[in-house]
Amino acid sequence: MSWPTTDSTDGHPLKSEMAPRVYGGVDSIADKAIEAEGELELFDEGHHGSNWGAYFNLVCLMAGSGVLQLPFCLKQGGWIGLGSIALCSCIAYYSGILLIKCLYVDGKRLNSLSEVGQVAFGKYGRLLVNFFTSTMMFGSSALFFILASANFRQLFEDILPTWKVTHWIVVCTVMIWPPFVFMKTLKEVAVLSFFGAFATVIMVFIVLVTGFIDLPNYADAKHEYYNLLAFPSVLAAVGFSFGGNSVFPHVEHSMSNRQDWPKVLKKALITVFAMYIVTAFVGYYVYGDKVESPILNTLPAGPCLTFAIIVITAHVLLTNPILLASLALEVEHLLKIDRIHMSCAGELLSRVAFRTILLSSSALVAIVLPYFAEVITLLGAVSNSMLIFVLPIVFNRRLFGGPTGFYRNLSEFFIVLIGFTSCGFGTYTAVISLHEKIQQS
């Protein structure tokens, strides 16, 4: 697969291809998209930072709770699932390059993927992007409730044996409510994304250590080489682990040398890929067909597992307000819940009421669907399959035309086909599995 290049003469990613080949009137449409419906900046980026800072931010964004699902993905798809992880990392790199390219239209820089959708396809393009990103943020919040409540139940099973997942979801909601409702912007808590990468590193280490210790106890574990029928759902779940496209524009904007974006993105993806591949390989090699999702349910009890549970629970509790605040700020901007349109007291009451409803809705979804594996597959299929595999390529073709070269066009066709296949079959598989789980419970 051939990757986009960077024009070394001007410092902007792929600006040599940003000629007025775009369809008629992009310049005026871009002006309207920025001036009339300007994107609300969600992150206060401050001064421009170094490449290492951008690399660290990218790793923190992508390395997260998705790692807990990867050994189970190999159980579903067989050893070929390792190829799915490699494929998703390559596609994430390619789409990340195209996404940043689409930000620069005739010398103007757009702020986000939703603005790119606005410029490419008008309000319907913006609505489409907002739907997928909002679904991802809201669904990920519910997923974090599921994971945190299951971890609390495991930690306090001896002390509170009668408490169910529902009780712990309520506890998590109460814990998250004050910072989520009363923080006005994301800059107060954005640094907490560090815990995502830290928790992932801890999980990789613990899976390695406990896996080798536990290997003699699972000598009869069975493995499969491939299961092609499970490939779409596996790819959807793996794709969830490489999410982050919606925040790439903010990271790229924070760089002093934006022409280095491809290098920084490649290094970050290689780092995340290394952590993911080690966890998936060791987890499936040791536990085989007995591995569960999340893998915390498979690891033997002991200090290592307890420490991992604590770290991951802290991570999801601290990150959940960030996810919901991103969504809340977008909606509040549309509903005009701000000091410009409301009094100080009215703005505060409206924000508290709206965010309380939003948080309660996310918790309610987690109570109704407390199934980690199925929810993560559904999210990957519905949202990330489109955000990573499809939209960057479609937007790039709309704005700049198709790439030159047969193999480049074939590669993009293949990626889009994978995206739609993962979205369709992955969603179908996840819904069927959820329906079966609901009937069983």
Side-chain angles (χ1 to χ4, degrees):
M1 186 178 292
S2 122
W3 307 117
T5 56
T6 304
D7 186 354
S8 60
T9 60
D10 56 25
H12 286 294
L14 302 145
K15 198 169 181 180
S16 60
E17 299 182 19
M18 296 179 193
R21 286 196 297 135
V22 293
Y23 81 105
V26 165
D27 190 46
S28 60
I29 296 175
D31 288 338
K32 293 178 182 178
I34 296 171
E35 295 173 9
E37 298 187 48
E39 179 75 7
L40 179 66
E41 283 292 344
L42 299 182
F43 293 90
D44 183 8
E45 294 164 310
H47 66 278
H48 295 298
S50 65
N51 289 354
W52 282 110
Y55 160 83
F56 180 75
N57 286 334
L58 287 173
V59 173
C60 288
L61 284 168
M62 289 183 285
S65 58
V67 72
L68 303 173
Q69 172 84 349
L70 296 178
F72 185 77
C73 288
L74 268 62
K75 175 185 175 181
Q76 290 180 309
W79 284 116
I80 197 175
L82 294 175
S84 300
I85 299 175
L87 179 63
C88 282
S89 64
C90 291
I91 294 175
Y93 174 72
Y94 186 76
S95 65
I97 299 299
L98 290 185
L99 171 59
I100 297 304
K101 171 187 172 182
C102 291
L103 293 177
Y104 294 89
V105 180
D106 288 350
K108 301 181 185 299
R109 187 189 185 280
L110 306 178
N111 290 320
S112 67
L113 184 57
S114 61
E115 283 191 3
V116 174
Q118 171 81 27
V119 173
F121 294 100
K123 65 178 182 180
Y124 296 107
R126 188 185 187 98
L127 289 173
L128 189 67
V129 172
N130 286 340
F131 169 77
F132 289 125
T133 53
S134 298
T135 301
M136 174 55 62
M137 288 185 287
F138 183 81
S140 297
S141 173
L143 183 72
F144 282 178
F145 273 124
I146 296 169
L147 183 58
S149 61
N151 289 349
F152 273 125
R153 186 181 184 187
Q154 192 170 352
L155 285 173
F156 297 99
E157 189 173 9
D158 295 334
I159 302 175
L160 299 169
T162 60
W163 279 44
K164 299 179 180 180
V165 170
T166 302
H167 298 100
W168 288 115
I169 290 176
V170 173
V171 171
C172 293
T173 306
V174 173
M175 294 173 65
I176 292 172
W177 185 83
F180 169 62
V181 168
F182 291 105
M183 68 179 184
K184 192 170 182 180
T185 65
L186 292 182
K187 59 185 179 181
E188 293 94 336
V189 295
V191 69
L192 299 178
S193 62
F194 162 77
F195 283 96
F198 178 68
T200 304
V201 172
I202 292 297
M203 274 307 307
V204 173
F205 177 76
I206 289 177
V207 169
L208 276 173
V209 173
T210 57
F212 283 113
I213 295 175
D214 229 14
L215 184 58
N217 300 325
Y218 288 86
D220 59 339
K222 299 178 181 179
H223 305 84
E224 291 187 21
Y225 286 102
Y226 62 89
N227 179 7
L228 295 180
L229 293 178
F231 181 76
S233 58
V234 169
L235 205 60
V238 173
F240 176 86
S241 304
F242 286 94
N245 277 25
S246 59
V247 192
F248 282 0
H250 298 282
V251 178
E252 187 264 353
H253 184 259
S254 70
M255 296 174 58
S256 298
N257 301 314
R258 297 180 188 174
Q259 70 273 12
D260 291 337
W261 168 255
K263 299 177 184 178
V264 174
L265 180 62
K266 181 186 292 185
K267 291 177 181 177
L269 281 168
I270 290 174
T271 303
V272 174
F273 168 77
M275 291 191 288
Y276 284 175
I277 207 76
V278 168
T279 305
F281 176 83
V282 175
Y284 185 56
Y285 178 75
V286 174
Y287 301 105
D289 59 333
K290 296 179 176 60
V291 72
E292 300 179 25
S293 177
I295 194 175
L296 296 171
N297 296 337
T298 310
L299 299 178
C304 287
L305 178 61
T306 301
F307 180 65
I309 291 175
I310 293 173
V311 170
I312 291 171
T313 304
H315 156 57
V316 297
L317 288 177
L318 292 169
T319 306
N320 209 340
I322 302 175
L323 286 172
L324 283 180
S326 301
L327 177 58
L329 286 169
E330 290 277 2
V331 179
E332 288 166 4
H333 179 62
L334 295 175
L335 297 178
K336 298 181 179 180
I337 301 177
D338 52 43
R339 297 287 178 86
I340 299 176
H341 301 90
M342 295 182 176
S343 64
C344 181
E347 185 261 349
L348 176 61
L349 291 175
S350 299
R351 188 174 76 246
V352 170
F354 169 71
R355 295 195 179 193
T356 300
I357 293 172
L358 182 63
L359 183 65
S360 302
S361 301
S362 176
L364 182 61
V365 171
I367 291 173
V368 175
L369 302 174
Y371 312 110
F372 183 83
E374 288 74 18
V375 171
I376 201 173
T377 302
L378 182 62
L379 281 177
V382 172
S383 297
N384 270 16
S385 292
M386 302 303 292
L387 291 172
I388 296 177
F389 297 95
V390 177
L391 293 186
I393 291 176
V394 172
F395 289 161
N396 178 67
R397 284 179 171 267
R398 177 70 167 176
L399 295 174
F400 305 108
T404 57
F406 172 77
Y407 291 106
R408 180 91 168 268
N409 279 281
L410 183 62
S411 299
E412 291 196 355
F413 172 79
F414 179 66
I415 293 172
V416 172
L417 180 63
I418 288 177
F420 280 115
T421 303
S422 299
C423 182
F425 285 96
T427 301
Y428 174 79
T429 303
V431 170
I432 293 298
S433 298
L434 282 171
H435 182 261
E436 292 176 353
K437 286 290 182 87
I438 292 172
Q439 285 187 326
Q440 291 173 3
S441 60

